[in-house]
Amino acid sequence: MIKKTFEKVNAELSIEKLKNGIDVYLYKTDTTKNFYLTISVKYGACVTKYKTNNEIIDVIPGSAHFLEHKVMALSENKEISKRINDLGSLANAWTSYYGTNYNIFGSQNIKENLKILLDLFYNTDINEQNVEEEKGIIGEEVDMYKDKIDYLMTYHLFDNLFHNSYIKNTVVGERTDLEKINSKLLNRIYKDYYSSNNTFIIITGNFDEEEIMNYINDYMDKLKLKPRELPKRIKPKEPDNVRVSYEEMQKDVENDRVKYAIKINKKIFNIKDDSVLTDYLGIILSTNFSGTSKLYEKYKLNKLIISMGYGLNIIDDHLIITINASTKNPNEFIKNIKKDIKKLKLNKSEFERHKKIYLKNYITDFDNIEDVEYIISASLMKYNRLDFDDYSKIINMSYEEAMRILSLITFDNASIIKTIK
């Protein structure tokens, strides 16, 4: 077992790679009586096609999320659900574009909780009957998301921005996608991606490291898992231009909504580390579009907006900057934002102030064991690595570099979506 320390906060992480290829991360703290157990796989909704053993597999949108439901099948495992409730624990799971996470939060009998979590992950029963039965449940989840205007507009916006990317599909998929998913496909994905060398375990909270590692090793020895060659994700080529530049969505909302987005090939910034690029751009966007910005104040004064915010996403080779607004004057807002987005500003004092906020947030993230787990799991899923020098990265950010990045932002490829009554 090796030990690594997150700088500045002096938070120590114990790391061990098991014989079967699973990576285990232990973050022990005495500041809580609770523990948070997770087992994750580096497989999410970004995989739309992959190659394994000279075979090409086309993945139906929503499959990663559907598989999550079949692995964490608590509705089918009444006995396990009762055991979790009797322990006073909470079990959950989530799927992103980059991975799938299964978790239990508890405060007593950590080994019993861990056994439950591992049993769910490794004793999955996926058959045609229970897959068909699950379609109705997931279909309701699809409908629930579609009732959320911001979610629906974001989905349409990304569909308009991209020609071929995975982001054109939602994580949960469409009802038409669900009908195509079957047990054969889900079992195939489980076999190909839920391998030991594509899996990691994270435990944060109050526990005995030696006791937990002994338990994990004993459990894994019985399974006799072996590392396997991992599939290769096939990424479609994506052009720099947007697919659709303007869309009106008919929705009965009190105030109209507008989303204005620009699509940029990230290579123009010449920054290899996506997390560094997003930190710089986060400062630039916050300075110009947050609730404390001069532009926000101006738009409020001129009654152009009720509220305004921004979003930032990196999708494979492309960067997406989104400005969101709730407004009673959508056309006037669009007219103004098209001009003002090209006048981005950043002074040194604002830059330094935002750096201090970043540094403060970095430290406070380690106050919560669930936040620590998410920092680790999200980094492993998205970047396939874990950095321990993020504090230094923030310290080393320079105003000159921020201005260089700002000067390279292009506005040629834009897409707008707005609601109409």
Side-chain angles (χ1 to χ4, degrees):
M1 183 181 291
I2 64 170
K3 294 186 180 291
K4 295 272 193 175
T5 303
F6 292 98
E7 60 180 4
K8 192 63 177 179
V9 291
N10 293 321
E12 190 174 76
L13 187 69
S14 300
I15 307 171
E16 182 160 333
K17 182 177 283 292
L18 306 184
K19 291 179 293 184
N20 58 23
I22 293 176
D23 291 311
V24 180
Y25 301 85
L26 306 179
Y27 175 76
K28 185 183 184 313
T29 175
D30 297 327
T31 60
T32 179
K33 294 181 180 179
N34 302 319
F35 50 80
Y36 191 48
L37 317 174
T38 72
I39 183 166
S40 299
V41 59
K42 299 171 190 173
Y43 169 76
C46 73
V47 181
T48 56
K49 181 180 289 191
Y50 67 89
K51 183 178 182 180
T52 179
N53 296 326
N54 293 319
E55 184 180 1
I56 304 295
I57 306 296
D58 287 302
V59 179
I60 298 168
S63 295
H65 174 256
F66 204 123
L67 186 53
E68 172 218 306
H69 273 243
K70 296 320 303 163
V71 174
M72 200 70 160
L74 292 177
S75 60
E76 299 168 22
N77 294 290
K78 303 296 184 184
E79 182 183 339
I80 291 180
S81 294
K82 184 178 183 305
R83 283 163 59 195
I84 293 171
N85 289 333
D86 290 344
L87 288 165
S89 302
L90 297 171
N92 201 0
W94 53 264
T95 302
S96 71
Y97 284 105
Y98 309 106
T100 308
N101 175 291
Y102 304 89
N103 55 77
I104 291 181
F105 183 91
S107 59
Q108 58 178 318
N109 204 333
I110 188 171
K111 288 193 290 187
E112 175 67 8
N113 279 279
L114 184 55
K115 182 180 188 307
I116 291 170
L117 184 64
L118 296 175
D119 283 349
L120 284 167
F121 191 85
Y122 287 110
N123 296 314
T124 296
D125 178 23
I126 304 172
N127 58 63
E128 205 56 45
Q129 180 180 340
N130 62 34
V131 167
E132 288 302 313
E133 290 171 351
E134 198 71 26
K135 288 181 179 180
I137 297 171
I138 300 177
E140 291 177 4
E141 191 174 347
V142 171
D143 294 341
M144 177 189 70
Y145 280 116
K146 288 199 170 182
D147 287 337
K148 298 179 180 179
I149 183 62
D150 188 67
Y151 173 90
L152 189 60
M153 289 184 72
T154 299
Y155 165 53
H156 276 259
L157 179 66
F158 280 116
D159 186 38
N160 293 342
L161 284 164
F162 287 88
H163 297 256
N164 306 308
S165 172
Y166 65 85
I167 203 70
K168 290 172 66 64
N169 305 310
T170 65
V171 172
V172 297
E174 297 287 335
R175 275 188 174 269
T176 52
D177 297 320
L178 300 183
E179 290 308 312
K180 299 172 189 174
I181 294 174
N182 55 48
S183 60
K184 181 180 178 181
L185 174 64
L186 295 180
N187 277 301
R188 178 61 189 266
I189 295 170
Y190 184 86
K191 175 179 175 293
D192 289 339
Y193 274 98
Y194 278 56
S195 57
S196 55
N197 50 316
N198 201 40
T199 302
F200 58 90
I201 294 170
I202 303 173
I203 300 178
T204 61
N206 199 325
F207 58 93
D208 183 291
E209 285 191 357
E210 184 177 356
E211 179 185 36
I212 287 302
M213 276 311 309
N214 287 338
Y215 183 84
I216 291 173
N217 277 308
D218 289 344
Y219 188 99
M220 293 300 167
D221 283 345
K222 294 173 186 175
L223 291 180
K224 301 188 185 321
L225 301 172
K226 293 183 179 180
R228 296 200 304 267
E229 184 177 353
L230 296 176
K232 183 179 180 181
R233 176 189 163 204
I234 299 174
K235 294 194 293 185
K237 291 183 178 179
E238 177 64 38
D240 292 342
N241 66 305
V242 301
R243 189 179 67 86
V244 176
S245 59
Y246 182 80
E247 180 186 359
E248 293 179 347
M249 178 182 291
Q250 191 162 8
K251 276 287 179 180
D252 186 16
V253 290
E254 183 179 355
N255 301 304
D256 285 314
R257 309 290 184 90
V258 176
K259 289 182 181 288
Y260 177 91
I262 54 175
K263 178 183 180 184
I264 308 168
N265 194 313
K266 68 178 184 181
K267 70 180 181 183
I268 68 170
F269 299 103
N270 196 26
I271 295 179
K272 292 182 179 179
D273 191 331
D274 284 353
S275 65
V276 172
L277 178 59
T278 54
D279 280 349
Y280 274 111
L281 288 166
I283 290 178
I284 293 168
L285 296 176
S286 180
T287 301
N288 287 273
F289 300 110
S290 71
T292 58
S293 68
K294 290 181 180 178
L295 188 65
Y296 190 99
E297 185 180 342
K298 172 187 166 184
Y299 280 8
K300 268 282 195 179
L301 188 64
N302 294 334
K303 297 184 178 180
L304 281 178
I305 61 168
I306 295 163
S307 63
M308 182 173 70
Y310 64 90
L312 178 64
N313 300 89
I314 291 182
I315 313 298
D316 285 336
D317 299 326
H318 289 90
L319 168 77
I320 305 298
I321 294 173
T322 309
I323 310 302
N324 316 288
S326 173
T327 174
K328 292 187 182 298
N329 301 290
N331 293 330
E332 198 63 25
F333 170 78
I334 292 170
K335 177 183 173 182
N336 279 267
I337 199 66
K338 280 183 174 181
K339 294 184 298 182
D340 291 330
I341 199 170
K342 297 176 182 178
K343 302 174 185 176
L344 297 175
K345 297 178 181 178
L346 180 64
N347 62 51
K348 193 165 186 177
S349 61
E350 276 292 298
F351 174 78
E352 294 298 335
R353 184 176 73 84
H354 279 89
K355 267 183 65 173
K356 288 178 182 178
I357 294 173
Y358 276 14
L359 292 169
K360 180 182 177 182
N361 290 342
Y362 168 83
I363 292 170
T364 56
D365 279 344
F366 286 87
D367 292 341
N368 186 301
I369 59 173
E370 291 172 89
D371 289 341
V372 174
E373 189 283 333
Y374 184 76
I375 290 168
I376 299 169
S377 63
S379 183
L380 292 172
M381 288 175 182
K382 191 168 185 178
Y383 304 119
N384 201 29
R385 70 169 195 272
L386 186 57
D387 295 328
F388 295 87
D389 60 347
D390 285 340
Y391 191 86
S392 289
K393 286 183 181 180
I394 299 170
I395 287 287
N396 292 330
M397 290 172 67
S398 71
Y399 176 68
E400 292 72 24
E401 177 67 353
M403 293 303 293
R404 182 188 73 85
I405 291 169
L406 188 154
S407 71
L408 294 172
I409 297 174
T410 59
F411 308 94
D412 300 330
N413 298 304
S415 185
I416 299 168
I417 185 168
K418 75 167 187 176
T419 58
I420 57 171
K421 291 184 175 65

